[in-house]
Amino acid sequence: MAREREGRGRGALRAGAAPAVLLLCAAGLLAAPPASAAATGGCAGKLVKSLPFAGGEVRVYKSRTQACAAAVAAAPGTRRPMAVSVQPRGGVPLRDTGQFTRYAGPVTVGAINRCVYVKGSIGAGSAESGWILC
């Protein structure tokens, strides 16, 4: 009778759980990876404008309440100067500047019924939007 209980105790649970854990781990490895932050530059919302220039592009996203921008390098890799700024009409620009490998930003501002002015640069290349999202 004691042997019968051994088969149903903690040891049996561990033995039965091991294949399940391995299966879950394998499923995690085979699942599609989530969209990378570089794809969106870390911004939420819908892509509404792309401003291409030598070395990359500035991507502008709009949600219901916010505008967001990121300068994304065409060829990520080496550190180089990058900058992005978003200025809501009637406000001051918010910036992200530095030496980055993939993208500068995201820079997000409140933009309910407000135009925004977006600038971005990577190395010597740059782009400006003018007043958009009005």
Side-chain angles (χ1 to χ4, degrees), residues 6 9 15 19 29 38 43-44 51 55 63 66 78-79 83 102 106 124 129:
E6 279 181 28
L29 292 174
C43 290
L51 308 167
S63 68
Q66 297 179 331
T78 60
R79 288 197 177 276
R102 293 186 181 161
S129 68

Side-chain angles (χ1 to χ4, degrees), residues 58-101:
V58 177
R59 296 179 186 163
V60 182
Y61 295 83
K62 175 84 168 118
S63 68
R64 190 176 67 78
T65 60
Q66 297 179 331
C68 179
V72 181
T78 60
R79 288 197 177 276
R80 57 193 168 252
M82 295 186 192
V84 65
S85 71
V86 180
Q87 178 180 0
R89 185 165 289 205
V92 296
L94 295 175
R95 296 182 180 100
D96 184 26
T97 61
Q99 298 281 325
F100 303 112
T101 59

Side-chain angles (χ1 to χ4, degrees), residues 10-132:
R10 288 186 195 163
L13 179 61
R14 281 188 216 127
V21 170
L22 289 174
L23 181 63
L24 290 174
C25 289
L29 292 174
L30 299 176
S36 69
T40 63
C43 290
K46 180 182 171 188
L47 179 65
V48 292
K49 188 93 170 163
S50 180
L51 308 167
F53 58 89
E57 65 182 350
V58 177
R59 296 179 186 163
V60 182
Y61 295 83
K62 175 84 168 118
S63 68
R64 190 176 67 78
T65 60
Q66 297 179 331
C68 179
V72 181
T78 60
R79 288 197 177 276
R80 57 193 168 252
M82 295 186 192
V84 65
S85 71
V86 180
Q87 178 180 0
R89 185 165 289 205
V92 296
L94 295 175
R95 296 182 180 100
D96 184 26
T97 61
Q99 298 281 325
F100 303 112
T101 59
R102 293 186 181 161
Y103 60 91
V107 176
T108 304
V109 298
I112 297 176
N113 297 325
R114 292 171 86 180
C115 303
V116 294
Y117 195 96
V118 178
K119 295 180 188 178
S121 66
I122 297 176
S126 67
E128 296 183 26
S129 68
W131 292 105
I132 58 172

